[in-house]
Amino acid sequence: MTLPIYIYGQPVLRKVADDITADYPDLKGFIADMWETLAESEGIGLAAPQVGKSVRVVVIDLDAISDDLPEYKGFKNVYINPHIIEVDDSKTSASEEGCLSLPGIHEKVTRPTRIHATWLDESFTKHDEWVEGYLARVMQHEFDHLEGHMFIDHITPLRKQLIKGKLRSLLQGRYSCGYKTKAAPKR
């Protein structure tokens, strides 16, 4: 089932998400719904808070960009209870990011190119790895959602001031996108 994407201003997007256990109710079904929602919205990553659940679950599908980055051909992973343990900020990279919860907003974000993360896969097998390159960027972006952060928190105050009108439009429910959404509550 395709779930609505929660838009900027939804309180769940600013909460720190909880770790889950293997007995989380219908986890397999929830992950299947996240995959379907991600495909429908044509994104490459989706965190549970973006569909209204304050739990530490992320799906990432980099196959869509494999024409440009062939090393990600067939790459689809589920991350349960992911945590970034350490960042190697000796090398950073600036690249434009967007977010399904911020339709129409794209900004250049500087992030470390290498991170050390832990997570569980769908079988609840533990992974503890250093991750580099584009995947490290996507993981940081998605895992930020689990900490109540969004990519706009990483842009300069000047850039944030310049997109203030767009953010206000999102808060007021004035946006357009090709996927199902749940706008911020009216204030």
Side-chain angles (χ1 to χ4, degrees), residues 10-18 47-50 52-56 142-150 153:
Q10 281 283 355
V12 70
L13 295 173
R14 292 305 192 171
K15 287 178 61 178
V16 175
D18 297 321
Q50 292 181 274
K53 302 275 188 209
S54 190
V55 294
R56 298 185 81 85
E142 297 306 331
F143 296 179
D144 269 357
H145 282 296
L146 306 177
E147 302 299 332
H149 302 300
M150 301 178 88
D153 300 336

Side-chain angles (χ1 to χ4, degrees), residues 66-141:
S66 63
D67 286 348
D68 294 326
L69 298 169
E71 64 268 32
Y72 296 119
K73 183 76 180 155
F75 185 97
K76 283 179 77 164
N77 273 0
V78 175
Y79 300 85
I80 297 171
N81 300 340
H83 293 274
I84 295 175
I85 304 304
E86 185 179 355
V87 295
D88 175 359
D89 54 12
S90 63
K91 186 174 178 199
T92 60
S93 166
S95 188
E96 190 171 281
E97 292 186 20
C99 181
L100 297 173
S101 294
L102 291 156
I105 298 178
H106 295 84
E107 290 291 326
K108 198 165 267 209
V109 177
T110 300
R111 294 189 186 269
T113 58
R114 187 169 176 257
I115 62 169
H116 178 202
T118 62
W119 68 90
L120 304 171
D121 61 26
E122 284 180 276
S123 303
F124 275 72
T125 301
K126 185 171 183 169
H127 296 262
D128 183 332
E129 298 177 21
W130 279 94
V131 179
E132 299 183 33
Y134 193 72
L135 177 57
R137 171 175 293 280
V138 175
M139 288 171 75
Q140 288 172 81
H141 177 109

Side-chain angles (χ1 to χ4, degrees), residues 35-46:
W35 282 124
E36 187 175 324
T37 302
L38 183 63
E40 181 73 26
S41 60
E42 298 180 355
I44 59 172
L46 183 66

Side-chain angles (χ1 to χ4, degrees), residues 160-179:
K160 200 158 191 178
Q161 187 63 34
L162 292 171
I163 64 168
K164 198 174 190 175
K166 289 180 181 180
L167 294 173
R168 189 173 22 258
S169 291
L170 292 177
L171 290 172
Q172 295 168 347
R174 293 185 293 124
Y175 59 88
S176 170
C177 56
Y179 45 88

